[in-house]
Amino acid sequence: MSIDNDDGRRGEFLHVSDEFLGTIVPIVVYWVYAGLYCMLSGMDNYRLHTKKDEDEKNLVSKKEVVKGVLLQQLVQGVVATVLFAVTGNDGDSDGNQQASYLVLAKQLFVAMFILDTWQYFMHRYMHQNKFFYKHIHSQHHRLVVPYAFGALYNHPLEGLILDTIGGALAFLFSGMSPRTSIFFFSFATIKTVDDHCGLWLPGNLFHIVFKNNSAYHDIHHQLYGSKYNFSQPFFVTWDRILGTYMPYALVERPEGGYEARPDKDCKDE
């Protein structure tokens, strides 16, 4: 009996809750996936901007970017911990209450729709409101040439409003469990990092499946595209519906690499 009790206590000690994983895993995924892109950053033939442009045009050091991202992730972790504690784990993580694939698909679709909708309108408002842009959102646009680990480089208030609150709303209204949230927010994190990676790699499924990709979002980071392509992180639906969609052509640069060029001239608008 004592051996069985010891094994039981050991199992309880080794058990990691879904709530803990739902908080930590997306953060780990962020740095792992961004790290992979850092290792690929020397692939000049697939860059959307030259390394020289990255060094000269960006208005913030990479050290400050890392500090800013870590601060946002700290806030994100605190809010997630509180959210899980308040809502409790009454979802589908127990074996007898597992959701069907159809229910899971519905939850993921609802979560994607809510996150896309929230981020589109909040993101667009931060561009239209001069005070918010000058004092808050302009921090993210210090990265004129985006790179992977700068994806979540935001003013802390913007990170709270766009990402943390947006994620909390997606979690609550979709009805997903903490276990499902591990996969959803990890996927959303990977997608966000990919959109800021600054590379156009052949065979990248995100570029094939999603119109909202690294080239699409790169347009938004340029001065001529700052009034367009607000959609993030999944689909371009709201941009198309509300007339803020800027189509582009991907052209090869003579010196190597690619450039996303707008199909229409919006510089004077």
Side-chain angles (χ1 to χ4, degrees):
M1 289 294 293
S2 60
I3 295 177
D4 291 339
N5 290 336
D6 288 343
D7 289 341
R9 284 193 293 269
R10 190 179 299 114
E12 291 178 3
F13 177 77
L14 295 176
H15 174 72
V16 179
S17 70
D18 291 339
E19 290 85 353
F20 178 80
L21 292 175
T23 302
I24 297 299
V25 170
I27 296 175
V28 174
V29 165
Y30 181 93
W31 291 108
V32 171
Y33 195 63
L36 292 175
Y37 269 118
C38 285
M39 291 188 289
L40 299 175
S41 62
M43 301 178 69
D44 293 340
N45 288 336
Y46 301 104
R47 292 179 64 99
L48 294 173
H49 295 270
T50 64
K51 187 66 170 63
K52 181 181 178 182
D53 281 346
E54 179 183 310
D55 294 336
E56 294 181 354
K57 291 184 177 181
N58 285 342
L59 306 176
V60 60
S61 70
K62 292 183 176 179
K63 180 180 178 180
E64 289 302 311
V65 169
V66 170
K67 288 166 60 178
V69 172
L70 289 174
L71 175 59
Q72 174 165 333
Q73 289 176 331
L74 175 62
V75 174
Q76 173 184 312
V78 171
V79 172
T81 301
V82 172
L83 181 65
F84 286 138
V86 170
T87 59
N89 186 4
D90 55 0
D92 56 19
S93 60
D94 291 335
N96 295 331
Q97 297 180 341
Q98 282 191 340
S100 68
Y101 289 117
L102 184 62
V103 172
L104 288 174
K106 178 184 176 182
Q107 290 174 343
L108 294 175
F109 174 80
V110 170
M112 292 170 81
F113 173 77
I114 291 174
L115 191 57
D116 263 11
T117 301
W118 176 265
Q119 292 209 353
Y120 174 85
F121 287 101
M122 291 296 101
H123 185 193
R124 184 173 180 177
Y125 179 74
M126 286 189 177
H127 275 269
Q128 293 176 331
N129 184 297
K130 292 181 179 179
F131 177 86
F132 269 91
Y133 184 81
K134 179 179 180 181
H135 297 284
I136 297 175
H137 187 56
S138 62
Q139 178 169 324
H140 182 68
H141 281 270
R142 292 176 187 172
L143 292 177
V144 180
V145 179
Y147 48 79
F149 67 84
L152 291 184
Y153 174 67
N154 301 305
H155 187 282
L157 184 58
E158 176 180 351
L160 177 64
I161 295 173
L162 254 70
D163 298 312
T164 307
I165 293 179
L169 291 173
F171 173 79
L172 291 171
F173 283 98
S174 67
M176 69 173 64
S177 69
R179 180 168 297 177
T180 303
S181 77
I182 299 170
F183 299 96
F184 174 73
F185 289 114
S186 293
F187 177 70
T189 296
I190 290 172
K191 179 68 171 59
T192 301
V193 170
D194 207 272
D195 291 346
H196 290 81
C197 70
L199 295 172
W200 188 266
L201 297 175
N204 186 327
L205 290 177
F206 287 117
H207 298 163
I208 297 171
V209 175
F210 294 94
K211 291 288 186 181
N212 194 344
N213 49 46
S214 59
Y216 185 84
H217 194 66
D218 182 76
I219 290 288
H220 176 72
H221 272 259
Q222 309 313 306
L223 184 61
Y224 54 77
S226 62
K227 297 179 181 179
Y228 298 88
N229 296 9
F230 297 111
S231 292
Q232 56 186 48
F234 300 113
F235 305 108
V236 300
T237 308
W238 287 114
D239 275 323
R240 289 188 180 276
I241 292 174
L242 297 177
T244 54
Y245 176 83
M246 179 183 280
Y248 65 90
L250 201 63
V251 299
E252 293 187 27
R253 294 195 306 267
E255 67 274 22
Y258 296 95
E259 179 183 351
R261 293 180 182 173
D263 284 349
K264 61 179 180 179
D265 186 2
C266 300
K267 295 180 182 179
D268 298 327
E269 294 187 14

